[in-house]
Structure formats: C-alpha cells, structure tokens
Amino acid sequence: MCGIVAYVGPRPAQQILIDGLRRLEYRGYDSAGLATVDGGRSQVVRAVGKLDNLVEALARDPVAGSLGVGHTRWATHGRPSEENAHPHAVDGVIVVHNGIIENHLDLRHELQQRGRVFKSETDTEIFGHLIAIELQGGAADLESAVRQALARVQGAYAIAVISERHPGQIAVAKLASPLLIGLGAGESLVASDIPAILPTTRSIVFLEEGELALVEAGRARITTLAGQPVERPARHIDWTPALAEKGGFKHFMHKEIVEQPRALIDTLRGRISRAEGQVFLDGLDVAGLSQAQRLVIIACGTSYHAGLVGKYLIETLTRLPVDVELASEYRYRDPIVLPGDAAIAISQSGETADTLAAMRELRRRGGRLMAICNVVDSAVAREAGDSLGVLYTHAGPEIGVASTKAFTTQILCLHLIALAIGRARDTLDLAAVRSEVHALSRLPKLVEAILEDEKEIEAIAHTYHKAHNFLFLGRGHGFPIALEGALKLKEISYIHAEGYAAGEMKHGPIALIDESLPVVCIATQGAGYDKLVSNIEEVRARDGRIIAIASDGDSRIAGLANEVIFLPASPPRLEPILATVPLQLLAYHIADFRGTDVDQPRNLAKSVTVE
Ligand code: AGP
C-alpha cells in the first residue's frame, strides 16, 4: 500500500523524505512524489515508476525548505501517472493520503458543481479541495480545517497535510490506515511505517483510529476527531530496519497472512450495503456478465484455485454455468468461444504471461472479458478495461512469492460478482443478497478469530514438519482449498504435497496411505461432510495421520482425527476463505521449521512474466 513520509524541523526536507520513502519501498508502489513549503511557497515534484525517477526529477528541479511531505503511491483510483501521483496541491494546501474514500464520487460531483476543478482522477484530491474550502471559509487554523474536512469523508485514510500559510506545521489524521509520529530532538517525522523514521528517531507515537494530530518540530498534539485531547507517551522502538520493514514479522508471507482481515475489509469497502442488501461493483459491466450464457474463468496457480471456488459460488448463486481454465492450457488448445460467453481473468500481479496470452486469444475469438486483479493498470487490467471492466482486490502489495491475501480477496471478489449477477438474473432476491452481504461483512472478524489460534497450528506444524509427503483432501468447495493448501506447502517447504478431490482417493492415492503420510482433510459442515467423514475413516483404517479442518465443536471429527483445527461457526459459503487461513499458517510454520527461504522459494518468481 501507499507510503507516507513527512518532516518538520531544522534540516532540509528533500533528502530526509527521499530516504524515508526508500525505506518504505517494500510496500510496493507505482509512482512517487514529494512537496515542500518554504517562505510561503510550495513546490511539488512527482514521477511515475521507481523512486530513482523522482530523484532524477529532483536533480533537475530541487525543492527547498524544511517542511515537507512525501509519498509512494499504489494506485487504487486512477491509473499510475504523474497527475495521479501524490502530493496533491489545491490552493496552497498539500495532501498525501493512504486509503480509500468510499464517498469520493458523491463528493467529487458536489465539489465540481461548486466550480472546483480537479487535476487528477484520485479520491485524494478531494481532501485538498475540502480543506482549502474550510480555510477560505474562515477555519481558525490548519488543524480545524482538516477536522472539518474529515467530517465529510467516509472510508479509510491516513493523511498528512501541509499548507503555504501554516509554516512549521503538519496536520495528520488516521482512520483504518496506519500512521505514526516520530519525535526527535527539535524535529519530527510522520510515516505510515516504522522503517521510514528509524534513522532520525526511535521515539514513536502511534496514532489510533479516529485521531488527528498537529505535528511541529519535536512535538505533537493529539486529539480525537471530535476535538478531545489525547495523552499518549512516545514508545521506544528497538527494531532493526529489516524487522521494521516486515512490521516485526520474520517473513513477509507471515505478515501478509495476518493482514487478511484488513485486506478483506478493504476489498469490501464501498461495495456492499448491509442495510439495503446491495452490492456495488464500480467499473464492472455487470449487465454484460449477467447476460452471458456461460462464464469462462481463466487463471494460473493460486488464482486458478480461486477460480475453482468461484465456479461453486457463481453456479450455486446464479445458475450460470462456469468453466474454469488453466490459462497455460487454454491459450494453446484451440478453445471454443461461443457468442454467449463472457470470461473472468484472475491475476494477483496482472502481469502473468499465460493469463495475458489466454485473454488475448479469447478476445481474438470475439469473447468479452473482465479481470479480477490486485495491481491497478497492470497488463491484465488494461486488457479487460475496455471490455467488461476490472474488479480490484484491495489486498495491498503482496511481496511473499506464496500468494495469501490475494487469494482470499480474489474469492471475496468472486462472491461479490456472484451476488451481483444473481440479483441481475433474479436467482437471488433482495433478502437473499442481504443475508449473504451480512455474512460477508463478518468475514474479517472470523478470520481474526482463526489467527488467534496460530499457536496451536504452529504446534501441529512442528509435529509434522519432517514428513516427506502430504495429501490434502476436500469435497465441493473444499476441493480447491485442498489444492491450494497443497500448493502453499510444496512451494515454500519443498515437501511433496498433492491436493485431491476426496471422492477420487479410492481411484489411486489411497495406495499412498501409511503411518508416515499426513493427510489434511477439509472436513467442514458445508463441504460434503458425511462423505468426507467416510474418507477420514478410510485413511484411519490405513494408519494415515489425519489433520482435519473442522467446524467449531465438531466432536465426531475430533474423535477421528489426530489433530483438529476448528473454524468458527459461519455460513457454509464462507468456508473456503476461512479454511484457507489455517492451511496458510500450517504451510508457513512447516517451512519456517525446515528453514527454507519462505519469501523467495527456490526456482519461483512472484510474477511469472515468461512462459
Ligand atoms: C501462488 O502462491 C504462486 N505464487 C503462483 O501460483 C501464482 O498464483 C501464479 O503464478 C499466478 O499469479 P498471478 O495471480 O499474479 O497471475
């Protein structure tokens, strides 16, 4: 996600901001910029691509002053471009922002009606206009202008604001996006993460939800959004820079697993209304998808597994037939594209060569398609953008090669698409959508509850980390989760693991079972439960070691399995996402016990841009 750095103090801001942004590069970004205020005059410099491009632009056009804000942008609204890069300057007010403003379309429209002219496609620029209006309308100071502007905004934000008329001040605020203040000797830094401030200070004040602060050199005054003073002493942080980058986690993969509640919230944000039971999928031609006679899902690896879950969701909720295709096969198979077909390409990176080639093949044959993607304006997003559109997973950058939060947010997007199509095709009435939407809104909390059981999962990982082979079994929507669990384990631990449809076990893999084989069974209530219990009995009869993922309090499974990981009670359709999380943790801890390179496993790349 985006990175924010701001500085106020006696030193020139430019180099401090660049150094801070470099320390946030691990968060992923597609453009960068910084701005300073000096003698009542602001200067803004921005560049698309890597920070080196910004450094080059600054070499041509350096900025002066010891008050400034910097930003690395991971695009969510508007493609990566110089105009969309932050900071955004409006009438001498300069803003950087991390997060998503849900009501940005309404606010933009209202501001345009009032004669305001926008220079970017971003939701962030709205802050600049709102704050400038408050200052022009007589707000007492920068802090109160920001406070009043924030009252208009719904969504998630971490912002830092400076102004030509307020020397020596940075106004910052946080709601559902991280922000912290570093207090040094006569100088202060603001950042979205700890690494950015470590060279200057280790004395940190973390802003909490719904707080605003006025930051000056060496001090900060914190209040709630309602204006109540907040007293919070600074904490001393003794992390190394490498540990700080990973938020204190040993590996990015672990951090990304734990980030899933947040990623799910961000993916849902602005897309569901619990009250009305509605789904809003901006940027997607839902009518075009709904009129299809058949959907074809195209993807690779983990994204393909999400597609398999999508088949269950879409067919069940919409009665529209869905075929799921491996992109690497589809592109060479002389595929049949019927006039009534529509396709969904799924890709975290948006750069996977096979997925792109399959999309182009489908379009060449007259097919229409949409994409589910995590990277704005990536090749996959562009390929679908002028067809049926793009639905972005707002998972934030995924750095670990093993895909985790991208997978669960892809499934969530497919669920939202199924609801939108079901409504359009009238296979779901308003009450049904309302109940699904209500269930989806509980997902982040349910995932949090599973993460709380991590210690038990780690203990199971320790017991089995020396195994040479694993079998993963599932039925129904548990089958793709078995495939995904096996893929996760094999790619990071180098243990041979196979995912199988449990009903197929007797057609071959049953020959593998003996006391040395751990068999992971997705045995939740919704996934062909009774049949799976029989499969577990079959494994038990051959002395296989059973690790079961079961629904909360299932004593029948507990009596059969060697180890049980319980999922919290949930509607069955949430089980694929919920059952995934313990499998990610199991794979992670097994790999960690084996000492492999978890984030960059051998022979693998994060984006497979070649065949
Ligand atoms: C998953 O852990 C892998 N890294 C891999 O299978 C990945 O999902 C696949 O290469 C597809 O990538 P994409 O989603 O970026 O297109």
Side-chain angles (χ1 to χ4, degrees):
M1 277 292 176
C2 311
I4 289 176
V5 185
Y7 176 79
V8 55
R11 294 187 283 158
Q14 176 176 311
Q15 195 53 43
I16 295 169
L17 295 174
I18 288 291
D19 289 346
L21 293 177
R22 280 218 191 279
R23 288 165 181 271
L24 297 180
E25 275 194 298
Y26 70 91
R27 294 166 72 87
Y29 64 101
D30 42 50
S31 55
L34 57 77
T36 54
V37 168
D38 189 35
R41 184 175 155 261
S42 62
Q43 288 169 276
V44 182
V45 178
R46 302 177 291 189
V48 175
K50 289 288 149 199
L51 265 179
D52 287 342
N53 299 347
L54 178 64
V55 171
E56 269 174 36
L58 285 163
R60 291 190 299 272
D61 194 8
V63 296
S66 52
L67 169 69
V69 289
H71 191 265
T72 45
R73 174 174 187 250
W74 165 268
T76 58
H77 292 78
R79 74 210 147 82
S81 67
E82 204 173 310
E83 305 76 59
N84 289 337
H86 301 208
H88 292 284
V90 180
D91 300 343
V93 172
I94 297 121
V95 184
V96 290
H97 164 227
N98 177 8
I100 298 167
I101 302 306
E102 285 174 19
N103 57 339
H104 75 103
L105 285 178
D106 291 345
L107 287 172
R108 178 182 273 257
H109 182 67
E110 177 198 315
L111 290 163
Q112 281 168 335
Q113 299 259 297
R114 290 166 73 176
R116 291 263 152 190
V117 177
F118 282 78
K119 289 182 266 180
S120 77
E121 302 162 289
T122 64
D123 50 347
T124 301
E125 197 184 339
I126 282 162
F127 280 116
H129 287 282
L130 291 173
I131 297 165
I133 287 170
E134 295 299 338
L135 285 172
Q136 285 155 14
D141 48 35
L142 183 62
E143 185 183 343
S144 39
V146 171
R147 191 185 311 283
Q148 284 152 22
L150 290 176
R152 301 287 328 275
V153 162
Q154 291 159 15
Y157 53 76
I159 57 165
V161 185
I162 56 176
S163 148
E164 289 179 353
R165 277 174 291 155
H166 298 86
Q169 295 188 336
I170 311 167
V172 301
K174 167 197 156 56
L175 191 68
S177 288
L179 204 66
L180 54 90
I181 302 163
L183 297 173
E187 57 187 346
S188 300
L189 273 156
V190 172
S192 41
D193 208 350
I194 296 170
I197 64 154
L198 287 182
T200 301
T201 179
R202 287 172 178 269
S203 178
I204 297 179
V205 181
F206 292 90
L207 276 195
E208 291 188 358
E209 299 310 323
E211 289 181 349
L212 194 150
L214 187 74
V215 181
E216 294 172 308
R219 61 174 181 233
R221 189 179 69 234
I222 306 175
T223 52
T224 63
L225 286 178
Q228 294 299 315
V230 174
E231 288 302 326
R232 183 167 309 124
R235 277 169 52 188
H236 181 80
I237 297 288
D238 53 11
W239 290 357
T240 63
L243 201 61
E245 260 190 13
K246 294 174 187 145
F249 291 90
K250 190 169 166 191
H251 297 104
F252 281 112
M253 180 186 178
H254 195 196
K255 175 171 177 274
E256 287 158 7
I257 292 171
V258 171
E259 278 172 357
Q260 286 177 111
R262 166 66 42 215
L264 293 164
I265 290 173
D266 285 344
T267 302
L268 280 176
R269 194 181 297 288
R271 290 176 171 159
I272 55 169
S273 149
R274 281 182 60 178
E276 299 155 45
Q278 289 212 53
V279 172
F280 310 98
L281 302 182
D282 278 355
L284 210 60
D285 181 354
V286 174
L289 281 171
S290 313
Q291 285 151 15
Q293 306 294 308
R294 174 180 78 145
L295 288 182
V296 180
I297 297 181
I298 303 169
C300 300
T302 287
S303 298
Y304 170 75
H305 298 156
L308 293 173
V309 178
K311 175 181 170 74
Y312 284 91
L313 289 166
I314 295 171
E315 289 190 342
T316 310
L317 295 170
T318 73
R319 306 314 299 153
L320 185 60
V322 181
D323 289 340
V324 190
E325 300 272 1
L326 285 166
S328 53
E329 288 293 316
Y330 186 86
R331 62 182 292 195
Y332 291 121
R333 212 197 51 221
D334 193 12
I336 297 168
V337 178
L338 300 169
D341 281 355
I344 304 176
I346 309 175
S347 175
Q348 185 283 130
S349 62
E351 303 295 342
T352 302
D354 282 327
T355 306
L356 263 173
M359 292 171 80
R360 288 175 183 148
E361 184 59 26
L362 184 128
R363 290 198 78 177
R364 200 178 64 76
R365 290 168 188 252
R368 296 165 313 147
L369 51 76
M370 63 155 289
I372 295 175
C373 194
N374 197 36
V375 181
V376 171
D377 216 33
S378 55
V380 163
R382 290 197 303 274
E383 191 64 38
D386 62 351
S387 186
L388 295 175
V390 186
L391 189 63
Y392 287 108
T393 48
H394 292 307
E398 197 178 61
I399 311 231
V401 162
S403 188
T404 52
K405 59 181 181 169
F407 178 66
T408 46
T409 53
Q410 284 166 350
I411 296 176
L412 181 54
C413 282
L414 286 158
H415 204 143
L416 293 173
I417 289 169
L419 295 181
I421 297 177
R423 198 69 201 98
R425 288 168 67 90
D426 224 12
T427 52
L428 297 173
D429 61 18
L430 220 47
V433 177
R434 197 176 294 133
S435 122
E436 293 281 332
V437 159
H438 177 77
L440 290 180
S441 68
R442 290 178 52 219
L443 255 177
K445 285 269 173 250
L446 294 169
V447 171
E448 263 172 30
I450 297 168
L451 293 171
E452 280 166 18
D453 291 338
E454 179 166 359
K455 279 278 158 236
E456 286 98 88
I457 299 168
E458 186 180 349
I460 297 172
H462 188 259
T463 306
Y464 295 93
H465 76 279
K466 291 194 174 140
H468 296 294
N469 298 287
F470 266 75
L471 183 61
F472 288 70
L473 298 177
R475 281 178 178 265
H477 59 220
F479 167 46
I481 301 309
L483 293 176
E484 176 60 10
L487 175 61
K488 238 31 356 145
L489 183 65
K490 77 180 86 163
E491 68 181 331
I492 60 170
S493 73
Y494 316 146
I495 295 175
H496 170 243
E498 281 198 58
Y500 241 85
E504 281 289 295
M505 186 173 68
K506 58 186 170 297
H507 299 291
I510 198 163
L512 296 171
I513 296 171
D514 63 18
E515 66 290 343
S516 70
L517 184 74
V519 182
V520 180
C521 299
I522 322 299
T524 51
Q525 296 287 345
Y529 179 75
D530 286 328
K531 300 283 178 204
L532 234 145
V533 171
S534 307
N535 296 132
I536 290 178
E537 298 275 16
E538 288 160 7
V539 175
R540 236 170 94 89
R542 287 156 186 84
D543 295 329
R545 312 286 296 169
I546 298 154
I547 303 168
I549 310 291
S551 303
D552 192 33
D554 187 335
S555 52
R556 191 170 168 202
I557 299 287
L560 293 172
N562 299 84
E563 326 283 347
V564 192
I565 301 166
F566 287 115
L567 301 183
S570 78
R573 268 194 281 283
L574 303 190
E575 286 174 0
I577 289 180
L578 299 182
T580 297
V581 178
L583 299 187
Q584 294 168 342
L585 288 170
L586 187 69
Y588 169 73
H589 285 293
I590 288 177
D592 192 30
F593 284 128
R594 291 168 72 96
T596 56
D597 187 348
V598 171
D599 284 332
Q600 289 179 326
R602 65 186 183 202
N603 307 335
L604 290 175
K606 183 67 187 159
S607 299
V608 187
T609 53
V610 291
E611 262 195 84

